[in-house]
Amino acid sequence: MNACPDSPSARRTLLYILAFCLVWWGIFAATRHYLDGADMVENYAWGMEWQWGTNKHPPLFGWITAAWFRLFPVGDNAYYLLNQVNLAIALGLLALAMKRLLSWDAVLVAVVLTTLGTHFGPDSGFKYNANTALLPFVAGFVWSLLHALEQGRARWFVLAGVFAAAALLTKYYALVLFAAIGLAILLTLRPPLAMLFKGTVIASVTALLLVTPHIVWSIRHGWPSLHYMHEAHEVLGATDGAKAYAVALVGVLGFSSVALLAWGASLVRLPTVPLDQAPRPPRLGLSILSISVALTLLAALAQGISPVSSWLIPALLFLGWALVDLTPARFDNGWLARRIYRVGLIYLLVTLVAAALWDRQYRTYPAQPAYALPQRIAEDATRLYHDAYAEPIEYAAGTFPLPYILSFYSPDHPHGLYGFDLAGPDLAQSPWIDARALESGNRIAVCGTLRFGVTDALACPAAARTLFGPPDQTRQLVYTVYDPKTRQLGQQRYAVLMWKPHQPH
């Protein structure tokens, strides 16, 4: 604790977090011409139902998305802003957590190195989903837990329980992070066991009370999130399983490569200082990161599922902290902070230039790529329905993720159906929608894909007719599209099936 809160490094930390998030929001708002094809529109479709669960994840980040768009117009730029606000909160709470053990110079280094992880920028920095939504709650959990262990007050353990509940209501993977954080604190800080036990009970009871409604919902619906996890990440064999683990680890190194290079290069010819007798801060960040990666792989092995590198995005929130812990004590932290700070600013400048060049290339395409069509499809399908019936759409079905795309982009914001199969009173994969409500609702199905040259001409329309009966009208949307990979123009076709309002099934 060798720097006061108003030190230059403290101010630089705050300014860098704000600059980083604003620059990336500006980049995405100005140069990205489409949302992610599935995850982000899913969030909105789930959140607008305000239920205690979904077919894939716990509900909190869907609620946050829906609440956000009660305040802001539904659109791409506001969505990018949500992710940057989410990231700014996470980095701020992480800085406060690190300050419990490190100087502001070290905190600045750790924050900048963390942001150099590519998943916060060019890879998926625009994407607000279960992984990125988890970040502020995990950082807040560590911050409040360190406060609690230092002061021994129950209110900080209660706050840790609130953050833990929010994390669990975002993604079950939070349990792995809690275990890693707890083990790391136990091994590096060695707190009194009595206080740790008491605090664990307080935090656990708080979290359990807040998560109980979701547990009840999941029991009633057969734990759909767990079924999805096994269906989506099933290991096909020993060879495929080993390959999946290797690919996940290589992916983590890829995410971290820029940060690792920046850190290693900054240590070259770095001035040294006389070593004092003060004890070195415990390597908590390194322990959390190492144990998180190990437990993630072990958990995947125990569950018999294939890991993917994106699962480790929340764990990589501790990458910069781990690199600070690995920095030899003989190096001057002040010099390192100034070097890394300059690297961070240069990185932001380079990304602005690269984004401008990328956007210039995109604008030379003779037509939109197929994957950039979602908003046009939603608006055109809605126009067809309004022209035919002069009423809003209530339910949207079709080829995934087109129903959720209509939920987000259509001015009617219809309820999006994941699939067509009926299972008792609920639609399979859409447990919040009562199948009987569909019998009287205004319905539309949009069939097609967002992949160049690929159609869904038979299966989707047939499934829609089986579920809803013969459509009243069928229309077709045809777009000229461009494939950047093959540099070819083509036509992308979508079938739009419409049913009269209030037509019984």
Side-chain angles (χ1 to χ4, degrees):
M1 305 279 186
N2 55 13
C4 58
D6 60 348
S7 69
S9 288
R11 293 193 294 271
R12 287 172 180 161
T13 301
L14 175 61
L15 288 173
Y16 181 80
I17 291 173
L18 294 176
F20 178 86
C21 293
L22 284 173
V23 165
W24 275 110
W25 175 70
I27 288 173
F28 294 131
T31 68
R32 188 174 177 86
H33 305 282
Y34 52 92
L35 286 182
D36 173 73
D39 280 5
M40 297 175 77
V41 291
E42 273 187 329
N43 300 350
Y44 181 84
W46 292 332
M48 63 185 288
E49 306 298 341
W50 298 101
Q51 295 294 311
W52 276 99
T54 75
N55 57 301
K56 292 185 180 180
H57 294 294
L60 182 56
F61 66 99
W63 293 347
I64 293 172
T65 302
W68 180 263
F69 286 113
R70 293 285 180 91
L71 301 175
F72 295 90
V74 178
D76 295 6
N77 293 346
Y79 219 148
Y80 302 144
L81 182 61
L82 169 60
N83 192 55
Q84 296 309 312
V85 169
N86 176 77
L87 182 55
I89 294 172
L91 293 172
L93 289 171
L94 177 67
L96 292 176
M98 290 188 291
K99 187 59 183 71
R100 310 306 301 176
L101 300 173
L102 305 174
S103 69
W104 274 115
D105 286 338
V107 169
L108 174 59
V109 171
V111 166
V112 175
L113 289 175
T114 298
T115 63
L116 297 183
T118 57
H119 54 281
F120 290 143
D123 179 76
S124 57
F126 65 94
K127 189 187 295 187
Y128 183 76
N129 62 13
N131 290 317
T132 51
L134 198 57
L135 299 175
F137 305 131
V138 172
F141 177 74
V142 177
W143 168 64
S144 54
L145 191 57
L146 291 178
H147 259 293
L149 294 175
E150 183 178 295
Q151 299 184 6
R153 295 184 179 179
R155 64 187 183 187
W156 287 104
F157 286 114
V158 171
L159 183 58
V162 172
F163 278 119
L168 282 171
L169 287 172
T170 300
K171 192 171 184 179
Y172 297 151
Y173 173 68
L175 286 170
V176 174
L177 293 173
F178 296 157
I181 292 165
L183 283 172
I185 287 176
L186 184 64
L187 295 173
T188 60
L189 302 185
R190 298 194 175 110
L193 292 181
M195 183 186 4
L196 186 61
F197 177 77
K198 173 187 172 183
T200 301
V201 171
I202 294 173
S204 299
V205 170
T206 302
L208 182 61
L209 290 174
L210 295 174
V211 175
T212 293
H214 170 67
I215 295 174
V216 173
W217 183 94
S218 297
I219 292 172
R220 288 179 55 197
H221 291 86
W223 292 97
S225 298
L226 296 180
H227 290 301
Y228 165 76
M229 178 181 69
H230 284 276
E231 290 171 2
H233 303 288
E234 182 181 1
V235 176
L236 300 178
T239 302
D240 291 333
K243 182 179 178 180
Y245 283 86
V247 168
L249 289 174
V250 170
V252 169
L253 290 176
F255 283 144
S256 309
S257 58
V258 176
L260 292 170
L261 289 172
W263 173 70
S266 296
L267 297 183
V268 176
R269 301 181 64 182
L270 192 70
T272 59
V273 294
L275 295 177
D276 55 28
Q277 299 302 313
R280 181 190 178 98
R283 299 185 179 186
L284 181 59
L286 178 61
S287 297
I288 293 176
L289 179 62
S290 303
I291 297 173
S292 294
V293 173
L295 289 184
T296 299
L297 299 180
L298 287 174
L301 183 63
Q303 289 290 319
I305 56 179
S306 298
V308 292
S309 56
S310 60
W311 290 355
L312 289 158
I313 287 176
L316 288 172
L317 184 64
F318 301 95
L319 173 64
W321 194 347
L323 293 177
V324 166
D325 287 343
L326 286 171
T327 303
R330 69 178 183 277
F331 288 137
D332 188 318
N333 264 344
W335 274 91
L336 180 60
R338 288 189 289 274
R339 280 191 182 183
I340 292 294
Y341 183 62
R342 286 195 294 268
V343 169
L345 295 179
I346 293 170
Y347 172 72
L348 294 180
L349 180 61
V350 170
T351 57
L352 281 171
V353 174
L357 295 174
W358 180 273
D359 186 60
R360 183 178 179 182
Q361 180 185 10
Y362 181 91
R363 292 182 185 276
T364 63
Y365 293 166
Q368 277 187 302
Y371 53 72
L373 288 176
Q375 185 167 355
R376 289 180 63 189
I377 294 170
E379 292 173 348
D380 290 346
T382 302
R383 175 181 49 78
L384 290 176
Y385 197 89
H386 288 181
D387 290 345
Y389 306 115
E391 290 198 26
I393 305 168
E394 293 183 53
Y395 295 97
T399 310
F400 180 79
L402 295 179
Y404 290 167
I405 285 170
L406 263 74
S407 292
F408 185 77
Y409 285 116
S410 169
D412 297 338
H413 302 298
H415 304 277
L417 280 65
Y418 182 90
F420 289 110
D421 297 329
L422 285 172
D426 295 337
L427 282 167
Q429 307 299 328
S430 296
W432 54 77
I433 297 176
D434 190 329
R436 288 171 295 183
L438 297 176
E439 297 178 1
S440 60
N442 304 352
R443 306 183 297 276
I444 190 172
V446 182
C447 298
T449 75
L450 298 175
R451 291 174 292 167
F452 179 80
V454 179
T455 63
D456 190 0
L458 298 176
C460 169
R465 290 185 177 93
T466 300
L467 179 60
F468 298 138
D472 178 61
Q473 296 187 43
T474 299
R475 296 288 184 268
Q476 191 174 67
L477 296 173
V478 182
Y479 303 97
T480 299
V481 294
Y482 175 71
D483 182 24
K485 292 182 179 179
T486 62
R487 299 182 181 180
Q488 292 180 342
L489 284 170
Q491 287 190 329
Q492 206 76 5
R493 299 178 182 274
Y494 299 87
V496 180
L497 291 75
M498 302 184 292
W499 286 262
K500 287 182 179 180
H502 312 300
Q503 175 185 341
H505 179 58

